[in-house]
Each structure stands twice: as C-alpha cells, then as structure tokens.
Coordinates of all heavy atoms in Angstrom, one line a residue:
M1 N 63.6 82.6 109.9 CA 64.8 83.2 109.3 C 65.0 84.6 109.8 O 64.0 85.4 109.8 CB 64.7 83.2 107.9 CG 65.9 83.8 107.1 SD 65.8 83.9 105.4 CE 65.6 82.3 104.9
P2 N 66.1 85.0 110.4 CA 66.4 86.4 110.8 C 66.3 87.3 109.7 O 66.6 87.0 108.5 CB 67.7 86.3 111.4 CG 68.2 85.0 111.3 CD 67.3 84.1 110.6
R3 N 65.9 88.5 110.0 CA 65.9 89.6 109.0 C 66.6 90.7 109.4 O 66.9 91.0 110.5 CB 64.4 90.0 108.7 CG 63.6 88.9 108.1 CD 62.2 89.4 108.0 NE 61.3 88.4 107.5 CZ 60.6 88.3 106.4 NH1 60.8 89.4 105.5 NH2 60.0 87.3 105.8
T4 N 67.2 91.4 108.5 CA 68.0 92.5 108.7 C 67.3 93.8 108.5 O 66.6 94.0 107.5 CB 69.3 92.5 107.8 OG1 70.0 91.3 107.9 CG2 70.2 93.7 108.1
K5 N 67.4 94.8 109.5 CA 66.7 96.1 109.2 C 67.7 97.0 108.4 O 68.7 97.5 109.0 CB 66.4 96.7 110.6 CG 65.2 95.9 111.3 CD 64.8 96.5 112.6 CE 63.9 95.7 113.3 NZ 63.4 96.3 114.5
L6 N 67.4 97.2 107.2 CA 68.3 98.1 106.4 C 68.1 99.5 106.6 O 68.9 100.3 106.3 CB 68.1 97.7 104.9 CG 68.4 96.2 104.6 CD1 68.0 95.9 103.1 CD2 69.7 95.9 104.9
D7 N 66.9 99.9 107.2 CA 66.7 101.3 107.4 C 67.3 101.9 108.7 O 67.3 103.1 108.9 CB 65.3 101.6 107.4 CG 64.5 100.9 108.5 OD1 65.0 99.9 109.0 OD2 63.3 101.3 108.8
K8 N 68.0 101.0 109.5 CA 68.4 101.5 110.8 C 69.8 102.2 110.5 O 70.8 101.5 109.9 CB 68.7 100.4 111.9 CG 69.2 100.8 113.1 CD 69.3 99.7 114.1 CE 69.7 100.2 115.5 NZ 69.9 99.1 116.4
Q9 N 70.0 103.4 110.9 CA 71.3 104.2 110.7 C 72.0 104.2 112.0 O 71.5 104.3 113.2 CB 70.8 105.7 110.5 CG 70.1 105.8 109.1 CD 70.9 105.5 108.0 OE1 72.0 105.8 107.8 NE2 70.3 104.8 107.0
P10 N 73.4 104.1 111.9 CA 74.2 104.1 113.1 C 74.2 105.5 113.8 O 73.9 106.6 113.0 CB 75.6 103.9 112.5 CG 75.5 104.2 111.1 CD 74.2 104.0 110.7
S11 N 74.4 105.5 115.0 CA 74.4 106.8 115.7 C 75.5 107.8 115.4 O 76.5 107.2 114.9 CB 74.2 106.6 117.3 OG 75.5 106.0 117.7
K12 N 75.4 109.0 115.7 CA 76.5 110.0 115.5 C 77.8 109.5 116.4 O 78.8 109.6 115.9 CB 76.2 111.3 115.8 CG 75.1 111.9 114.8 CD 74.7 113.3 115.2 CE 73.7 113.8 114.2 NZ 73.3 115.2 114.6
L13 N 77.5 109.1 117.6 CA 78.6 108.8 118.5 C 79.3 107.4 117.9 O 80.6 107.4 117.9 CB 77.9 108.4 119.9 CG 79.0 108.1 121.0 CD1 79.9 109.2 121.2 CD2 78.3 107.8 122.2
Y14 N 78.5 106.5 117.4 CA 79.2 105.4 116.7 C 80.1 105.9 115.6 O 81.2 105.3 115.5 CB 78.2 104.4 116.2 CG 78.7 103.2 115.5 CD1 79.0 102.1 116.2 CD2 78.7 103.1 114.0 CE1 79.5 100.9 115.5 CE2 79.2 102.1 113.5 CZ 79.6 100.9 114.2 OH 80.0 99.8 113.5
I15 N 79.6 106.6 114.7 CA 80.4 107.1 113.6 C 81.7 107.9 114.0 O 82.7 107.7 113.5 CB 79.5 107.9 112.6 CG1 78.5 107.1 112.0 CG2 80.4 108.7 111.6 CD1 77.4 107.8 111.2
L16 N 81.5 108.8 115.1 CA 82.6 109.6 115.4 C 83.7 108.8 116.1 O 84.9 108.8 115.7 CB 82.1 110.6 116.5 CG 83.1 111.5 117.2 CD1 83.6 112.5 116.2 CD2 82.4 112.3 118.3
L17 N 83.3 107.8 117.0 CA 84.4 107.1 117.7 C 85.0 106.0 116.8 O 86.2 105.9 116.8 CB 83.6 106.2 118.9 CG 83.4 107.1 120.1 CD1 82.6 106.3 121.2 CD2 84.5 107.8 120.7
N18 N 84.3 105.3 115.9 CA 84.8 104.3 115.1 C 85.6 104.9 113.9 O 86.5 104.4 113.4 CB 83.8 103.4 114.6 CG 83.3 102.4 115.6 OD1 84.1 101.7 116.1 ND2 82.0 102.5 116.0
G19 N 85.3 106.1 113.6 CA 86.1 106.9 112.6 C 87.5 107.3 113.1 O 88.4 107.2 112.5
A20 N 87.4 107.8 114.3 CA 88.6 108.2 115.0 C 89.6 107.0 115.5 O 90.7 107.1 115.5 CB 88.3 109.0 116.3
A21 N 88.9 105.9 115.6 CA 89.7 104.7 116.0 C 90.0 103.8 114.8 O 90.4 102.6 115.1 CB 88.9 103.9 117.0
A22 N 89.8 104.2 113.6 CA 90.1 103.4 112.5 C 91.5 102.9 112.4 O 91.7 101.8 111.8 CB 89.6 104.1 111.2
G23 N 92.4 103.7 112.8 CA 93.9 103.3 112.7 C 94.3 102.5 113.8 O 95.4 102.1 113.9
K24 N 93.4 102.2 114.8 CA 93.9 101.5 116.1 C 93.3 100.1 116.1 O 92.3 99.8 115.6 CB 93.4 102.3 117.3 CG 93.7 103.7 117.4 CD 95.1 103.7 118.0 CE 95.6 105.3 118.2 NZ 96.8 105.3 118.7
T25 N 94.1 99.2 116.7 CA 93.6 97.8 117.0 C 92.8 97.8 118.1 O 92.9 98.6 119.0 CB 94.7 96.9 116.9 OG1 95.6 97.1 118.1 CG2 95.6 96.9 115.7
R26 N 92.1 96.6 118.3 CA 91.3 96.4 119.6 C 92.3 96.4 120.8 O 92.0 96.8 121.9 CB 90.5 95.2 119.6 CG 89.3 95.2 118.7 CD 88.5 94.1 118.7 NE 89.3 92.9 118.0 CZ 89.0 91.6 118.3 NH1 88.0 91.3 119.0 NH2 89.7 90.6 117.7
Y27 N 93.5 95.9 120.6 CA 94.5 95.8 121.6 C 95.0 97.2 122.1 O 95.1 97.4 123.3 CB 95.6 94.8 121.3 CG 95.2 93.4 120.9 CD1 95.0 93.0 119.5 CD2 95.0 92.6 121.9 CE1 94.6 91.8 119.3 CE2 94.5 91.2 121.6 CZ 94.3 90.9 120.4 OH 93.9 89.6 120.0
E28 N 95.2 98.0 121.1 CA 95.5 99.5 121.4 C 94.5 100.1 122.2 O 94.7 100.9 123.2 CB 96.0 100.1 120.2 CG 97.2 99.6 119.6 CD 97.6 100.2 118.2 OE1 96.6 100.7 117.5 OE2 98.7 100.2 117.8
L29 N 93.3 100.0 121.7 CA 92.1 100.6 122.4 C 91.9 100.1 123.8 O 91.5 100.7 124.7 CB 90.8 100.4 121.5 CG 90.8 101.2 120.3 CD1 89.6 100.9 119.4 CD2 90.9 102.7 120.5
G30 N 92.2 98.8 123.9 CA 92.1 98.1 125.2 C 93.1 98.7 126.2 O 92.8 98.8 127.5
E31 N 94.3 99.0 125.7 CA 95.2 99.6 126.6 C 94.8 101.0 127.1 O 95.1 101.4 128.2 CB 96.6 99.6 126.0 CG 97.3 98.4 125.8 CD 98.6 98.4 125.1 OE1 99.2 99.5 124.9 OE2 99.1 97.4 124.8
I32 N 94.1 101.7 126.2 CA 93.7 103.0 126.5 C 92.6 103.0 127.5 O 92.6 103.8 128.6 CB 93.2 103.8 125.2 CG1 94.3 104.1 124.3 CG2 92.4 105.0 125.5 CD1 93.9 104.5 122.9
L33 N 91.7 102.1 127.4 CA 90.6 102.0 128.3 C 90.8 101.1 129.5 O 90.1 101.2 130.5 CB 89.4 101.3 127.5 CG 88.7 102.2 126.4 CD1 87.6 101.5 125.7 CD2 88.2 103.5 127.0
G34 N 91.9 100.3 129.4 CA 92.1 99.4 130.6 C 91.2 98.2 130.6 O 90.8 97.7 131.6
R35 N 90.8 97.8 129.4 CA 89.9 96.7 129.2 C 90.4 95.6 128.3 O 91.4 95.9 127.6 CB 88.5 97.2 128.6 CG 87.8 98.2 129.4 CD 87.0 97.6 130.4 NE 86.1 98.7 131.1 CZ 85.6 98.6 132.2 NH1 85.6 97.5 132.8 NH2 84.9 99.6 132.7
C36 N 89.8 94.5 128.3 CA 90.3 93.4 127.4 C 89.8 93.8 126.0 O 88.7 94.4 125.7 CB 89.9 91.9 127.9 SG 88.1 91.7 127.7
P37 N 90.3 93.2 124.9 CA 90.0 93.4 123.6 C 88.6 93.0 123.2 O 87.9 93.8 122.4 CB 90.9 92.6 122.7 CG 92.2 92.5 123.6 CD 91.7 92.5 124.9
Q38 N 88.0 92.0 123.7 CA 86.7 91.6 123.5 C 85.7 92.7 124.0 O 84.8 92.9 123.5 CB 86.4 90.2 124.2 CG 85.0 89.7 123.9 CD 84.8 89.5 122.3 OE1 85.7 89.3 121.6 NE2 83.5 89.8 121.9
T39 N 86.0 93.2 125.3 CA 85.1 94.2 125.8 C 85.1 95.5 125.0 O 84.1 96.0 124.8 CB 85.5 94.4 127.3 OG1 85.5 93.2 128.0 CG2 84.6 95.5 127.9
V40 N 86.3 95.8 124.4 CA 86.3 97.0 123.7 C 85.7 96.8 122.4 O 84.9 97.7 121.9 CB 87.9 97.2 123.3 CG1 88.1 98.4 122.2 CG2 88.7 97.6 124.6
K41 N 85.7 95.7 121.9 CA 85.0 95.4 120.5 C 83.4 95.5 120.8 O 82.8 96.1 120.1 CB 85.2 93.9 120.0 CG 84.4 93.5 118.8 CD 84.8 92.0 118.5 CE 84.0 91.6 117.4 NZ 84.3 90.2 117.0
T42 N 83.0 95.0 121.9 CA 81.5 95.1 122.3 C 81.1 96.5 122.5 O 80.1 97.0 122.0 CB 81.2 94.3 123.6 OG1 81.6 92.9 123.3 CG2 79.8 94.3 124.0
K43 N 82.0 97.3 123.3 CA 81.6 98.7 123.5 C 81.7 99.5 122.3 O 81.0 100.6 122.2 CB 82.5 99.2 124.6 CG 82.2 98.6 126.0 CD 83.0 99.3 127.1 CE 82.6 98.8 128.4 NZ 81.5 99.6 129.1
M44 N 82.6 99.3 121.4 CA 82.8 100.1 120.1 C 81.6 99.7 119.3 O 81.2 100.7 118.4 CB 84.1 99.7 119.5 CG 85.3 100.4 120.2 SD 85.2 102.2 120.6 CE 85.7 102.7 118.9
R45 N 81.0 98.6 119.3 CA 79.9 98.3 118.5 C 78.6 99.0 119.1 O 77.6 99.4 118.3 CB 79.5 96.8 118.4 CG 80.5 96.1 117.5 CD 80.1 94.6 117.4 NE 80.9 93.9 116.4 CZ 80.8 92.6 116.3 NH1 79.9 91.9 116.8 NH2 81.6 92.1 115.4
N46 N 78.5 99.2 120.3 CA 77.4 99.9 121.0 C 77.9 100.9 122.0 O 78.0 100.7 123.2 CB 76.6 98.9 121.8 CG 75.3 99.5 122.2 OD1 74.9 100.5 121.9 ND2 74.5 98.7 123.1
P47 N 78.4 102.0 121.4 CA 79.1 103.0 122.3 C 78.3 103.8 123.3 O 78.6 104.4 124.2 CB 79.5 104.1 121.3 CG 78.7 103.9 120.1 CD 78.3 102.5 120.0
E48 N 76.9 103.5 123.3 CA 76.0 104.0 124.3 C 76.3 103.3 125.7 O 75.8 104.0 126.6 CB 74.6 103.8 123.9 CG 74.1 104.8 122.8 CD 74.5 104.4 121.4 OE1 74.8 103.1 121.2 OE2 74.6 105.2 120.5
T49 N 77.0 102.3 125.7 CA 77.3 101.6 126.9 C 78.6 102.1 127.5 O 79.0 101.7 128.7 CB 77.4 100.1 126.7 OG1 78.4 99.8 125.8 CG2 76.1 99.5 126.2
L50 N 79.2 103.0 126.9 CA 80.5 103.5 127.4 C 80.2 104.5 128.6 O 79.3 105.2 128.6 CB 81.4 104.4 126.4 CG 82.0 103.6 125.3 CD1 82.4 104.5 124.1 CD2 83.1 102.8 125.8
T51 N 81.1 104.4 129.6 CA 80.9 105.3 130.7 C 81.4 106.6 130.4 O 82.2 106.8 129.5 CB 81.7 104.8 132.0 OG1 83.0 104.6 131.8 CG2 81.0 103.4 132.4
V52 N 81.3 107.7 131.3 CA 81.8 109.0 131.1 C 83.4 108.9 131.1 O 84.1 109.5 130.3 CB 81.3 109.9 132.1 CG1 81.8 111.3 131.9 CG2 79.7 110.1 131.8
A53 N 83.9 108.1 132.0 CA 85.3 108.0 132.1 C 85.9 107.4 130.9 O 87.0 107.9 130.5 CB 85.7 107.2 133.4
E54 N 85.4 106.3 130.4 CA 85.8 105.7 129.1 C 85.7 106.7 128.0 O 86.7 106.8 127.1 CB 85.0 104.5 128.9 CG 85.2 103.4 129.9 CD 84.4 102.2 129.7 OE1 83.3 102.3 129.1 OE2 84.8 101.2 130.3
L55 N 84.7 107.5 127.8 CA 84.6 108.5 126.8 C 85.6 109.5 126.9 O 86.2 109.9 125.9 CB 83.2 109.2 126.9 CG 82.0 108.4 126.2 CD1 80.7 109.1 126.5 CD2 82.1 108.2 124.7
T56 N 85.9 110.0 128.0 CA 87.0 110.9 128.2 C 88.4 110.4 127.9 O 89.2 111.1 127.2 CB 87.0 111.7 129.6 OG1 87.2 110.6 130.5 CG2 85.9 112.5 129.8
K57 N 88.6 109.1 128.2 CA 89.9 108.6 127.9 C 90.0 108.5 126.3 O 91.1 108.6 125.8 CB 90.0 107.2 128.5 CG 90.3 107.2 130.0 CD 90.3 105.7 130.5 CE 90.5 105.8 132.0 NZ 90.5 104.3 132.5
L58 N 89.0 108.0 125.8 CA 89.0 107.8 124.3 C 89.2 109.2 123.5 O 89.9 109.3 122.7 CB 87.7 107.1 123.7 CG 87.6 105.7 123.9 CD1 86.3 105.2 123.6 CD2 88.8 104.9 123.1
S59 N 88.4 110.2 124.0 CA 88.5 111.5 123.4 C 89.9 112.1 123.5 O 90.4 112.8 122.7 CB 87.5 112.4 123.9 OG 87.7 112.7 125.3
R60 N 90.6 112.0 124.6 CA 91.8 112.5 124.9 C 92.9 111.7 124.0 O 93.7 112.4 123.4 CB 92.3 112.3 126.3 CG 91.6 113.4 127.2 CD 92.0 113.3 128.7 NE 91.3 114.1 129.4 CZ 91.0 114.1 130.7 NH1 91.6 113.0 131.4 NH2 90.4 114.9 131.4
N61 N 92.9 110.4 124.0 CA 93.9 109.6 123.3 C 93.6 109.6 121.7 O 94.6 109.3 121.0 CB 93.9 108.2 123.8 CG 94.5 108.2 125.3 OD1 95.7 108.8 125.4 ND2 93.7 107.7 126.1
L62 N 92.3 109.8 121.3 CA 92.1 109.8 119.9 C 92.1 111.2 119.3 O 91.7 111.3 118.2 CB 90.8 108.9 119.6 CG 90.8 107.5 120.0 CD1 89.5 106.8 119.7 CD2 91.9 106.8 119.2
H63 N 92.2 112.2 120.1 CA 92.2 113.5 119.7 C 90.8 114.0 119.1 O 90.7 114.6 118.1 CB 93.3 113.9 118.7 CG 94.7 113.5 119.2 ND1 95.3 114.1 120.4 CD2 95.5 112.4 118.9 CE1 96.4 113.6 120.5 NE2 96.6 112.5 119.7
I64 N 89.7 113.6 119.9 CA 88.4 114.1 119.5 C 88.1 115.3 120.3 O 88.1 115.3 121.5 CB 87.3 112.9 119.8 CG1 87.7 111.7 119.0 CG2 86.0 113.4 119.5 CD1 86.9 110.5 119.4
P65 N 87.7 116.4 119.6 CA 87.3 117.6 120.3 C 86.0 117.3 121.2 O 85.2 116.6 120.8 CB 87.0 118.6 119.3 CG 87.7 118.1 118.0 CD 87.7 116.7 118.2
L66 N 86.0 117.9 122.5 CA 85.0 117.7 123.4 C 83.7 118.2 122.8 O 82.6 117.6 123.1 CB 85.3 118.5 124.7 CG 84.5 118.1 125.9 CD1 84.4 116.7 126.1 CD2 84.8 119.0 127.0
E67 N 83.7 119.4 122.0 CA 82.5 119.8 121.5 C 81.8 118.9 120.4 O 80.6 118.6 120.4 CB 82.7 121.1 120.7 CG 82.8 122.3 121.7 CD 81.7 122.4 122.6 OE1 80.5 122.4 122.2 OE2 81.9 122.7 123.9
D68 N 82.6 118.1 119.7 CA 82.2 117.1 118.7 C 81.6 116.0 119.4 O 80.5 115.3 119.1 CB 83.2 116.6 117.8 CG 83.8 117.7 116.9 OD1 83.1 118.8 116.6 OD2 84.8 117.5 116.3
L69 N 82.2 115.6 120.7 CA 81.7 114.5 121.4 C 80.3 114.8 122.0 O 79.4 114.0 122.1 CB 82.7 114.2 122.6 CG 82.4 112.9 123.2 CD1 82.5 111.7 122.4 CD2 83.5 112.8 124.3
R70 N 80.1 116.1 122.5 CA 78.9 116.5 123.1 C 77.8 116.5 122.1 O 76.7 116.1 122.4 CB 79.0 117.8 123.7 CG 79.8 117.9 125.0 CD 79.9 119.2 125.5 NE 80.6 119.3 126.8 CZ 81.3 120.3 127.3 NH1 81.1 121.5 126.6 NH2 82.0 120.3 128.5
Q71 N 78.1 116.9 120.8 CA 77.0 116.9 119.9 C 76.7 115.5 119.4 O 75.4 115.3 119.0 CB 77.5 117.8 118.6 CG 77.7 119.2 118.9 CD 78.3 119.9 117.6 OE1 78.7 119.4 116.7 NE2 78.3 121.3 117.7
A72 N 77.5 114.6 119.5 CA 77.2 113.2 119.1 C 76.4 112.5 120.1 O 75.7 111.5 119.7 CB 78.5 112.5 118.8
I73 N 76.4 112.9 121.4 CA 75.6 112.2 122.4 C 74.3 112.7 122.4 O 73.9 113.8 122.4 CB 76.3 112.4 123.8 CG1 77.7 111.9 123.8 CG2 75.5 111.9 124.8 CD1 78.5 112.2 125.1
T74 N 73.4 111.6 122.2 CA 71.9 111.9 122.3 C 71.3 111.3 123.7 O 71.9 110.5 124.2 CB 71.1 111.2 121.2 OG1 71.4 109.8 121.2 CG2 71.5 111.7 119.8
Y75 N 70.4 112.0 124.1 CA 69.8 111.8 125.4 C 68.4 110.9 125.3 O 67.8 111.0 124.4 CB 69.4 112.9 126.3 CG 70.8 113.7 126.6 CD1 71.1 114.8 125.9 CD2 71.6 113.2 127.6 CE1 72.4 115.6 126.2 CE2 72.8 114.1 127.8 CZ 73.1 115.1 127.1 OH 74.2 115.8 127.4

C-alpha cells in the first residue's frame, strides 16, 4: 500500500508561483507559456522543471517581482 509523506514541505518556488497563478486557469497559463494545459499542470506541480524563459514569462505576466523569484529558487 502506498504511503504519504506528511512531513514533506512544498518549495518556496511552488508556493510563490501557485499563489500568483491562483486566479488563472491552466488554459490561460498555457497561452502565457506557449504550452498545452496538461504540460502546464505538470510544470506547476513541479516548478523546478521550468526553464529560465518560462520563469521570466510567468513572472512578467503574473506580476511577480524578480527579487522574490530569485529568493525562491534554491540551487
């Protein structure tokens, strides 16, 4: 039987992007990124897979300050 890890916390980038995109649908985000809605859903669940170009498109269109985005990215 699969088990859920309850102690795993979402990353800062996940919280930042999904909080800013709360009012948008997958179709609207897909138009911003130039991707299909299923790809957008996958990338928003795991934002570490976003490219730099996709991150800049999202930050510009969702009005996320660049400094907040830099602080949320972990290496």
Side-chain angles (χ1 to χ4, degrees):
M1 176 187 301
R3 296 179 183 243
T4 304
K5 293 182 179 181
L6 298 175
D7 60 339
K8 186 176 180 184
Q9 298 293 322
S11 68
K12 291 180 183 179
L13 184 60
Y14 177 86
I15 294 170
L16 179 69
L17 288 177
N18 286 300
K24 303 278 185 185
T25 64
R26 287 186 292 165
Y27 298 100
E28 292 171 336
L29 292 173
E31 289 179 14
I32 292 171
L33 292 177
R35 304 275 186 194
C36 71
Q38 184 62 35
T39 304
V40 171
K41 179 181 175 184
T42 304
K43 288 189 178 266
M44 292 303 281
R45 283 186 178 175
N46 190 9
E48 287 80 18
T49 61
L50 288 166
T51 64
V52 175
E54 291 170 341
L55 277 173
T56 55
K57 286 179 186 179
L58 283 174
S59 66
R60 286 182 184 152
N61 289 303
L62 297 177
H63 307 291
I64 301 171
L66 191 58
E67 287 301 317
D68 291 346
L69 191 63
R70 284 183 182 153
Q71 290 177 352
I73 296 174
T74 57
Y75 299 100

